Amino acid sequence: MKIAVLPGDGIGTEIVAEAIRVLDALDLNFEMETALVGGAAYEAHGHPLPEATLKLAKEADAVLFGAVGDWKYDKLDRPLRPEQAILGLRKNLGLFANFRPAICYEQLVDASSLKPELISGLDILIIRELTGDIYFGQPRGRRTAVDGHFPGAEEAFDTMRYSRPEVERIARVAFEAARKRSKRVTSVDKANVLETFQFWKDIVTEVHKDYPDVELDHMYVDNAAMQLVKAPKKFDVIVTGNMFGDILSDEAAMLTGSIGMLPSASLNSSNQGLYEPSHGSAPDIAGKGVANPLATILSAAMMLRFSLNQAEAADRIESAVKHVLASGLRTGDIWSEGTKRVGTREMGDAVVAAITKKTITG
Ligand code: NAD
């Protein structure tokens, strides 16, 4: 089992270090190799996704990714910015399906900004299409950009685009995932205004004919944004395009208390995957040792389950996290009155201890 470890920038290095300690504690036979990505790779090699990093990622069974980016790179031309590394990895590895579970742990009900009764027991799955849509369409203005901006330009545009196979395959992923859950899919679009999303809606409806046991409904993205905070438990699986998924999954993150709790998996058709926390590099808290490592640790659990065929080990990590939360330890982002505030390293220590003391079983 070969894992490419790409910590990246900001808190990326701190949180990935904890996830690696947790993986080591499982005593399984992993081969892990680390490489630079994002701003760190730009500084060392002049490119956010160097050839050697891409090669390592392609050859591995799975990629464990931290986060990339920092405000100081905002002046760079877009292709050289750290965030391009993640887009490049998605494209080159064909990682078209992004899974973002939003689960509210009972111990964290109070950390959410929503009323406890709205989120207690929440367990939804957002499936975001990851390699199409406006993020991969033709942009206008790249050639004329100066320091990443467009002084004096009269217009700029990006093109929203989906092809039939792209929508079909993500729809199938969503229906298959729903079959293992409560068998309900909500397809989120903007078909009332955008042609691309009428096309999306038509194809999802067509694919649904192969899944008569799964309930399908369609919702406009503006309504979905509202329903997610009004009655989030009504959802089971949400499937949507790249941009809407980007926004809705961050919104869903806050339902769970903190974006620092939310793992994600991005898979290709052969189950090779990239696993990363849903948050970014958090430059505001980088280097302070206060970042919550749990989203990354839970991403490592998803990696074990989806790409490395180690479901039992994944269960052990998830049980250890629940145990640690139940014991009252909290990083600052999920801290509340009556709990004990700890840093990144102490949180990692506690998860490792829960695994190695074998107080936890899968
Ligand atoms: P962010 O997710 O990095 O941070 C948003 C807020 O959440 C900040 O206040 C931050 O301190 C907090 N936060 C995030 N993760 C946390 C954690 N684990 N523990 C505690 N608090 C946490 O988003 P941003 O500030 O909009 O972006 C910062 C940089 O990250 C930008 O350069 C952006 O482009 C990049 N980014 C990268 C990815 C990625 O690597 N996949 C994703 C999103 C943003």
Side-chain angles (χ1 to χ4, degrees), residues 307-328:
S307 288
L308 302 179
N309 216 7
Q310 297 282 339
E312 202 189 319
D315 287 346
R316 283 177 69 197
I317 294 182
E318 286 161 1
S319 302
V321 167
K322 281 185 196 149
H323 176 84
V324 168
L325 291 174
S327 74

Side-chain angles (χ1 to χ4, degrees), residues 11 67-71 83 259 276 279-285 292 333:
I11 60 169
V68 289
D70 192 293
W71 316 127
E83 293 79 3
I259 199 161
E276 58 171 331
H279 57 76
S281 54
D284 54 335
I285 56 167
N292 186 348
D333 57 312

Side-chain angles (χ1 to χ4, degrees), residues 3 11-26 30 64-66 105 259-265 275-279 291-305 310 313-325 331 342-355:
I3 304 171
I11 60 169
T13 48
E14 301 165 49
I15 53 182
V16 166
E18 297 314 312
I20 288 176
R21 292 202 307 131
V22 168
L23 287 169
D24 283 341
L26 292 168
F30 301 123
L64 184 63
F65 191 91
Y105 290 87
I259 199 161
M261 290 299 301
L262 224 91
S264 83
Y275 299 83
E276 58 171 331
S278 295
H279 57 76
N292 186 348
L294 293 179
T296 316
I297 290 171
L298 291 167
S299 301
M302 288 182 92
M303 172 177 82
L304 291 167
R305 183 171 289 118
Q310 297 282 339
D315 287 346
R316 283 177 69 197
I317 294 182
E318 286 161 1
S319 302
V321 167
K322 281 185 196 149
H323 176 84
V324 168
L325 291 174
T331 43
V342 295
T344 312
R345 180 83 193 193
E346 276 171 287
M347 189 56 108
D349 282 344
V351 178
V352 167
I355 288 172

Side-chain angles (χ1 to χ4, degrees), residues 188-195 197-198 219-222 244:
V188 171
D189 61 58
K190 189 73 185 170
N192 50 342
V193 177
L194 298 170
E195 301 298 347
F197 273 93
Q198 183 59 54
M219 197 178 277
Y220 296 140
V221 64
D222 38 351
F244 298 157

